[in-house]
Amino acid sequence: EFILLGLSDTRELQVLFFTFFFLAYAMVLLGNLLIIVTVRTDPKLSSPMYFLLCNLSFTDICCTSVTSPRMLVDLLSQRKAIAFEDCIAQLFFLHFVGASEMFLLTVMAYDRYTAICKPLHYTAIMSRQVCWVLVSACWVGGFLHSIVQTLLTIQLPFCGPNTIDNYFCDVPPVIRLACTDVYITEWLIVSNSGLISLVCFLVLVTSYTFILVTIRVRFTEGHWKALSTCASHVMVVTLFFVPCIFIYLHPFSTFPSYKHICVICTVFSPVMNPLIYTLRNNEVKASMWKLWKRCR
């Protein structure tokens, strides 16, 4: 088994963290479930953008559910032990869902690029069949990425220290506990996770650059609305990708602990998604209001 040190060993801070993260987890579940129900029940929200948004909400629920429940239990526990099998399972699902979300955010940026830069061909390019293929490819890509990370980790021998300076099991702190030289494994993992994060981020930046150039050339009221939508995407991308690039795109021994940075992409980013996509989108807010009046 491994021992998770968590975010703090001070009892008062643990209670404070529990309250904060419990409220954050509840917001993630309720906010994203509300988005899913709203999109699924309102025929007006049938465009590819809302289909992808619905999938992003589901991914956010899965991503935060991999780490948050365990963290909440450990904050109230004296001994934060996790079995080796449970640790590997958490590591696998974290990278599975996390990589899938990276690919999905990239697809959403491509959707906005197509809608703004090629509006006449948008319905043909982003048909429902194409959307399903793209979403399926995101999950397949996430699975392949995660299985590589997991196989590189479980083949290592663990016979020494078992203390992980984090609140969940991730590849960098786990492989540092291996009883062997992990230099090659470390660089293989960096080239996998780090490059995926960086490449997806560069693709996103490129697509938004093309969008900004297009809007500057032919600025209309419709393009202003599209720019507002893209601004919310940029906020999500910044919260999610920058911490991932910082964590995985360098040798893991450089920074012995990065658990406070992990809070950004495992807690804050899933919390911000429903707020950004609902408060900045009049169509979603109107549909939620209709759903509320129908349920009363």
Side-chain angles (χ1 to χ4, degrees):
E1 65 179 13
F2 293 116
I3 305 297
L4 300 171
L5 296 183
L7 292 171
S8 174
D9 55 0
T10 305
R11 187 61 183 171
E12 291 76 13
L13 280 178
Q14 289 179 349
V15 174
L16 181 63
F17 286 150
F18 176 85
T19 304
F20 174 78
F21 290 123
F22 177 80
L23 293 175
Y25 185 50
M27 288 178 60
V28 171
L29 294 181
L30 295 176
N32 285 293
L33 283 173
L34 181 59
I35 290 176
I36 293 173
V37 172
T38 303
V39 172
R40 297 290 295 176
T41 55
D42 193 341
K44 292 183 179 180
L45 303 180
S46 59
S47 66
M49 181 180 76
Y50 295 113
F51 173 77
L52 297 173
L53 174 60
C54 187
N55 281 275
L56 178 65
S57 295
F58 175 74
T59 308
D60 275 335
I61 291 174
C62 294
C63 187
T64 193
S65 295
V66 174
T67 58
S68 291
R70 176 87 201 189
M71 176 178 61
L72 292 173
V73 172
D74 286 344
L75 284 171
L76 300 180
S77 304
Q78 293 294 331
R79 189 170 183 268
K80 304 171 179 59
I82 182 171
F84 178 79
E85 295 80 6
D86 295 338
C87 182
I88 296 300
Q90 187 181 54
L91 182 153
F92 170 80
F93 285 108
L94 178 68
H95 281 267
F96 177 28
V97 181
S100 300
E101 181 162 351
M102 286 185 183
F103 297 138
L104 185 58
L105 288 169
T106 308
V107 170
M108 292 179 71
Y110 173 72
D111 170 73
R112 292 298 85 207
Y113 163 78
T114 307
I116 297 172
C117 300
K118 300 181 179 180
L120 298 179
H121 304 283
Y122 178 67
T123 55
I125 295 175
M126 294 299 295
S127 64
R128 182 51 64 99
Q129 292 79 11
V130 171
C131 288
W132 276 109
V133 170
L134 290 174
V135 170
S136 301
C138 291
W139 286 102
V140 171
F143 175 80
L144 294 176
H145 159 76
S146 183
I147 202 69
V148 170
Q149 299 286 92
T150 306
L151 291 176
L152 287 172
T153 303
I154 62 175
Q155 53 87 27
L156 297 172
F158 296 95
C159 55
N162 68 335
T163 302
I164 296 177
D165 189 13
N166 209 330
Y167 58 93
F168 65 94
C169 285
D170 196 7
V171 174
V174 170
I175 68 169
R176 280 203 295 262
L177 302 179
C179 304
T180 185
D181 183 14
V182 295
Y183 179 80
I184 296 177
T185 304
E186 186 175 322
W187 279 105
L188 288 174
I189 292 173
V190 167
S191 63
N192 187 353
S193 294
L195 285 182
I196 286 178
S197 304
L198 182 61
V199 170
C200 288
F201 182 71
L202 292 178
V203 171
L204 285 160
V205 171
T206 302
S207 65
Y208 290 129
T209 302
F210 278 115
I211 289 172
L212 291 174
V213 171
T214 302
I215 291 175
R216 183 180 178 183
V217 172
R218 46 181 191 189
F219 196 83
T220 64
E221 184 178 349
H223 286 93
W224 172 258
K225 180 181 176 182
L227 180 62
S228 177
T229 303
C230 291
S232 64
H233 290 191
V234 171
M235 293 174 66
V236 174
V237 165
T238 303
L239 282 173
F240 188 72
F241 276 91
V242 172
C244 291
I245 294 173
F246 177 81
I247 291 170
Y248 296 108
L249 201 60
H250 62 73
F252 303 143
S253 56
T254 307
F255 295 93
S257 178
Y258 55 88
K259 55 188 176 183
H260 297 96
I261 300 175
C262 293
V263 174
I264 299 175
C265 49
T266 60
V267 177
F268 282 104
S269 180
V271 168
M272 292 300 296
N273 281 356
L275 295 177
I276 290 172
Y277 286 109
T278 54
L279 296 180
R280 295 179 58 85
N281 192 308
N282 292 327
E283 291 180 343
V284 175
K285 287 190 291 186
S287 297
M288 286 182 176
W289 179 245
K290 287 196 301 183
L291 180 64
W292 168 254
K293 291 194 294 186
R294 192 187 315 162
C295 296
R296 281 197 304 176

